[in-house]
Amino acid sequence: MAFKVLNPGLLTTVQDLGRPGYFHLGIPMSGAMDRYALRAANLLVGNPEGAAALEAVFMGPQLEFEVDATVAVTGADLPARVDGEPHPAWTAFPVRAGQVLSFDYLKGGARAYIAISGGIDTPPALGSRSTYIIGALGGYHGRALAAGDMVPLGKPGAFRHGTEVPEALRRTVGKSAELRVLPGLYWRLITEEAGRNFFEDGWKVAPEADRMGYRFRGGRPFTFEPREQPFGAGSNPSNIVDACYPYGSIQVPGGTEPIVLHRDAVSGGGYFTLGAVISADMDLIGQMQPHTGVRFVKVDMEEALAARADEAGRLARLREALA
Amino acid sequence: MQTRYSYGGDEHIFVEMDEEMSLEAFFKSMSITNAVRAAHIDGITEICPANGSFQIKFDPDRIAPDDLMGRLRSLEQAADKAEKRLETRIVEVPVFYRDPWTTETLMRFRERHQDPQSTDLEYAARMNGYDTVEQFIHAHHASPWFVSMVGFVAGLPFLYQLVERSRQIQVPKYLRPRTDTPKHTIGHGGCFGCVYSVRGAGGYQMFGITPMPIYDPTQKVSYLREFMVFFRPGDIVKWKPIGREEYDAITADVAANRYEPRIRKVTFDLDSFNADIDGTNQRLMETLHGV
């Protein structure tokens, strides 16, 4: 049971909910950038929420199926076709053996999740099938899909869920977005003015935006509080003694362009971080295209936890809708 | 040392022992993270020590951030009294200095360097007051190094030179990071050495390359069969300078799966080290070479 990759698209990888537990060795959790969309796609085709699916960036792949399967596409607005026939997003549809699944051009968002009944059955690495490309770990031979690959599928479950995600539970990203940030970490290294500017300025997603991190441009450069650089830190005021980086943490190398680390984060390094995007907004980043306008919004821990509870509520409603 | 606590978003707590790097900060961070591990606190999902700080990842649905912060602070007090002694190992890592691959790469990224007219080794030698590259290379491999962090990317060790602070090699990172670094490059940035475990971006100065793999996701390399990552914090490393011939011989041995790195068990005691750096290093060398 498998499908054949006729055309891989731009960058299509196998992802599940990731491999926590190895960040202390520099191996990030990886997994779907938009975890909510991955869960939705899996539930639609009768898979466990955390089954491995495909994450396709900006462009869809072209896949030929060897077996009958149920497929769902969520996340980015990337219209699917089966042998040329269009199928709606966030909705389960059948693909029969011998048919070809393909995609139109991207209409919105950045990453589409393609779940297939039975889930993708590549061998797990350190407890997960997620692809960590830099470390050549997991997924399909530790790399993105390529033309000619035969990707194995698991045995579909006997149960079926609802077949369509209600409109209100689908998320898309428009031309602009807000990312909520809890200030902290090395915040104290920047001046009060730089801290104010960071939240006041309009930023745009830079072309360097990938699974490791998203870079932003357009705001004013950062200024630093004067200090003598501590031993081992390096001479630039944005340097620190190499330390761990939280997922979602925001570093500003050289004080110019903030980078928000994502699922394939480097686990540490020598640039100061000024805080982190809250967990509730991480999925959103995965759906932002380059040039998306962004404002960073300051929140405190209470607000961060409230937002997290809202996200959990949305996920509970999704599960209920598809039960 | 002034310990500083901070949240990193709603899922991390970051604890810095000290702003500056020292083995004291490393040992304190290690004792607290050991205590945290031993405490089996529900809701903690990752414990990541790094040089002079550490980071805890947690699930705020299982433990309230303030509660966890309180637990960590109480563990800090207990860890203060811990012994600064480590049962660890010393590993000999062969290094081909001035190799053709890092040389080719550094030439390709010259416009990102502070001194486009020099090689990374020439620049580092001058910055550290050595008259010749040969003298600098000798200083680089003459004393052992201490793995004070594993991370950045999969299995990459950060190494802290076991000499008096005044003799530690320090060199700025590239002005703008390279987009490419050969796998197994021996690098240096700030006061830290490193071994690039995989090919990729990097900002450290490049001094040479090792034929010895330190990360193998396929787990085929003989000494990486049990776990794909070779280094762990607390490992001690001794560079061994080699030439092209030996580099090729080891590369062939690795490919044939008959290369075994020289590894010996050692005890590292921070107080003894501080009391007698040269004597401690000499004993480490004797253990390594079985004298």
Side-chain angles (χ1 to χ4, degrees), chain A residues 20-26 132 135 182 185-186 188 227 230-232 241-242 244-247 266-268 276 279 308, chain B residues 4 6 10-12 14 16 19 21 46-48 51 55 59-61 150-152 154-155 158 168 170 215 217 227:
Chain A
Y22 302 94
F23 210 31
H24 65 292
L25 299 172
Y132 169 46
L182 185 66
L185 301 166
Y186 290 87
R188 67 207 183 105
R227 71 161 183 169
F231 176 79
V241 168
D242 294 57
C244 291
Y245 291 149
Y247 294 103
V266 288
S267 70
S279 61
R308 186 181 171 90
Chain B
R4 192 171 64 84
S6 173
D10 50 327
E11 292 186 334
H12 308 82
F14 173 78
E16 183 188 64
E19 272 206 326
M21 178 56 193
E46 309 249 12
I47 301 171
C48 305
N51 298 323
Q55 172 179 298
D59 178 354
D61 302 331
V150 177
F152 180 61
F158 286 77
Q168 280 187 311
Q170 286 200 75
Y215 169 73
F227 195 64

Side-chain angles (χ1 to χ4, degrees), chain A residues 2-9 54 60-69 71 73 79-87 93-104 114 116:
Chain A
F3 61 83
K4 183 178 180 182
V5 179
L6 302 180
N7 180 327
L54 297 181
Q62 206 178 7
L63 312 173
E64 187 182 80
F65 281 68
E66 264 195 346
V67 287
D68 294 353
V71 172
V73 181
R81 289 178 184 268
V82 177
D83 280 355
E85 278 299 301
H87 285 275
F93 57 87
V95 179
R96 284 192 307 280
Q99 287 191 311
V100 172
L101 173 66
S102 63
F103 294 87
D104 291 351
I114 307 159
I116 302 161

Side-chain angles (χ1 to χ4, degrees), chain B residues 183-207:
Chain B
K183 187 159 109 170
H184 301 158
T185 291
I186 308 301
H188 200 98
C191 71
F192 294 106
C194 84
V195 185
Y196 283 87
S197 51
V198 296
R199 183 177 178 180
Y204 277 24
Q205 308 284 336
M206 298 182 291
F207 297 161

Side-chain angles (χ1 to χ4, degrees), chain A residues 142-205:
Chain A
R143 59 166 171 81
L145 297 188
D149 288 349
M150 292 295 297
V151 183
L153 289 169
K155 204 168 163 306
F159 55 99
R160 292 282 306 123
H161 299 291
T163 54
E164 187 183 314
V165 174
E167 201 72 40
L169 291 175
R170 304 176 185 185
R171 179 160 59 192
T172 50
V173 181
K175 294 213 175 313
S176 67
E178 285 189 347
L179 293 176
R180 288 166 287 187
V181 171
L182 185 66
L185 301 166
Y186 290 87
W187 176 269
R188 67 207 183 105
L189 297 190
I190 56 172
T191 60
E192 210 182 310
E193 189 196 6
R196 254 196 332 268
N197 294 347
F198 174 65
F199 289 117
E200 276 174 21
D201 289 349
W203 299 89
K204 269 190 180 356
V205 176

